[in-house]
Amino acid sequence: MGPVPGTLPRGVRRGPRVVAIGGGHGLSATLSALRLMTDQITAVVTVADDGGSSGRLREELAVLPPGDLRMALAALCDDSDWGRTWRDVLQHRFHTDGPLDQHALGNLLIVTLWELLGDPVAGLDWVGRLLGARGRVLPMTEVPLLIEAEVRRADGRLETVRGQSSVARTTDPITQVRLVPADPPACLHAVAAVEQADWVVLGPGSWYTSVLPHLLVPELRSALVRGGARVVVVLNLSPEEHGETAGMHAEDYLAVLHDHAPELEVHAVVADPRAVEDTGRLAEHCEARDARLLLRQVGRSDGTARHDPLRLAAALRDVVEGVLGDLGPRGGRGFH
């Protein structure tokens, strides 16, 4: 089939090897930033979506939900008329009164390749070639997953919420998430990418349904914990008002990571000071875990809770180069 999309000729290398972990719009934001600083990007994407076009295709055809994978591929498209046009084709969504309503064409294309090739990774690589993608997109596992969450209701009782779309809409505190099936096999290509990475980026995004699920896949978790990559966490710009992170503070995202994977070492945290209620408290939380904190404006200037690719790329570059911004505390771990 030829070279994997986004790779360079043998012996040629530009930028660090970076793995971005997550799903949805949060992962797309990270990829849009990373592509400005390195040519060696691998996106490892959650495969638990059960809503919308992805959920319908998953139920009807018994395949991985393709939506988050499609969005990651679109974020890595070549910056040319060819790449941008095929990105728009991939992202095009039908609006009809029939069964195609709300299906994204890219979802249909990805599933078609899966059926023709019988290999989820090969199908994604082919779409990457079509886009001229500056990186590779992989599922965290090749088994469709169900997310379950234990939610504490207002009256104190614990209730199990099942399904990614249902968990994402939960506004009561989540105490634990798990996968069904439990301990799914990891995508071996994803494990290899993490083991070979210089850096791994977690977040931003839906914390319980896009970021944490990767830590519940044993082989992937082991690669994250025991591999040589340094881990940087990019915090969300705001909690969801009507969703799974409602009421969470900046340091809560890190606490949730620690609760679900206490052995995971976080080397750096990137946060927008406008989204941090108490920078001192966040700094103390990072210092207690020997993680370096970089406070930097990484959100867009229009006031929306969306990361600006240029600003986020600059912050991540500073993290990789071991440079702290003038707003950040100067304690913690070095990067060289």
Side-chain angles (χ1 to χ4, degrees):
M1 189 181 75
V4 170
T7 60
L8 299 170
R10 185 178 297 274
V12 178
R13 179 183 175 194
R14 293 202 302 263
R17 293 182 296 259
V18 182
V19 171
I21 285 178
H25 294 287
L27 179 60
S28 293
T30 297
L31 296 175
S32 296
L34 288 174
R35 60 178 294 157
L36 301 175
M37 57 177 289
T38 180
D39 285 316
Q40 298 195 105
I41 306 168
T42 302
V44 179
V45 185
T46 184
V47 286
D49 192 3
D50 61 353
S53 171
S54 288
R56 290 158 62 191
L57 291 170
R58 169 180 176 165
E59 182 177 358
E60 184 173 344
L61 300 174
V63 294
L64 296 175
D68 285 356
L69 297 160
R70 181 199 82 244
M71 291 177 63
L73 284 162
L76 291 174
C77 75
D78 185 54
D79 190 20
S80 63
D81 286 343
W82 175 275
R84 290 189 296 269
T85 298
W86 279 108
R87 174 201 64 195
D88 293 344
V89 169
L90 207 68
Q91 296 286 64
H92 178 74
R93 199 173 291 274
F94 296 101
H95 300 280
T96 76
D97 294 326
L100 276 178
D101 186 48
Q102 294 302 310
H103 270 307
L105 189 144
N107 289 353
L108 302 176
L109 176 62
I110 290 170
V111 172
T112 298
L113 283 164
W114 287 346
E115 289 198 346
L116 289 174
L117 301 175
D119 183 341
V121 171
L124 295 169
D125 285 345
W126 273 99
V127 178
R129 291 182 68 193
L130 179 65
L131 292 166
R134 298 185 61 182
R136 196 179 193 193
V137 174
L138 300 168
M140 67 178 188
T141 174
E142 298 179 33
V143 178
L145 300 173
L146 173 71
I147 291 180
E148 291 186 342
E150 293 296 326
V151 178
R152 189 170 300 281
R153 298 304 187 189
D155 59 7
R157 62 189 172 86
L158 286 176
E159 181 177 313
T160 299
V161 176
R162 295 180 175 84
Q164 183 271 338
S165 56
S166 296
V167 174
R169 293 192 300 268
T170 297
T171 56
D172 289 325
I174 296 173
T175 62
Q176 185 183 38
V177 291
R178 56 180 174 266
L179 299 178
V180 179
D183 302 335
C187 171
L188 296 182
H189 297 274
V191 172
V194 172
E195 290 176 340
Q196 296 166 14
D198 299 309
W199 285 87
V200 173
V201 181
L202 298 174
S206 301
W207 219 242
Y208 292 98
T209 56
S210 291
V211 177
L212 282 182
H214 296 79
L215 301 177
L216 305 180
V217 179
E219 294 162 295
L220 198 55
R221 177 177 179 148
S222 179
L224 285 166
V225 171
R226 296 179 175 82
R230 292 179 169 131
V231 176
V232 56
V233 172
V234 179
L235 295 182
N236 290 358
L237 293 174
S238 67
E240 298 157 303
E241 292 183 10
H242 305 289
E244 62 189 65
T245 58
M248 286 179 63
H249 297 157
E251 63 274 10
D252 295 336
Y253 293 91
L254 301 177
V256 167
L257 276 182
H258 182 74
D259 289 344
H260 284 79
E263 72 276 32
L264 178 67
E265 185 176 5
V266 174
H267 298 83
V269 176
V270 175
D272 191 311
R274 299 174 301 176
V276 179
E277 299 83 357
D278 188 329
T279 56
R281 192 166 61 213
L282 177 60
E284 290 174 2
H285 193 101
C286 291
E287 184 177 358
R289 285 167 173 70
D290 203 16
R292 202 169 188 178
L293 174 62
L294 178 66
L295 289 170
R296 182 71 59 79
Q297 184 177 338
V298 290
R300 298 194 177 188
S301 299
D302 59 10
T304 60
R306 299 175 65 188
H307 285 79
D308 180 271
L310 284 171
R311 290 174 172 174
L312 182 56
L316 290 172
R317 185 178 291 112
D318 282 353
V319 167
V320 170
E321 294 175 355
V323 178
L324 285 180
D326 53 1
L327 294 173
R330 298 189 176 272
R333 179 183 305 277
F335 291 95
H336 302 291

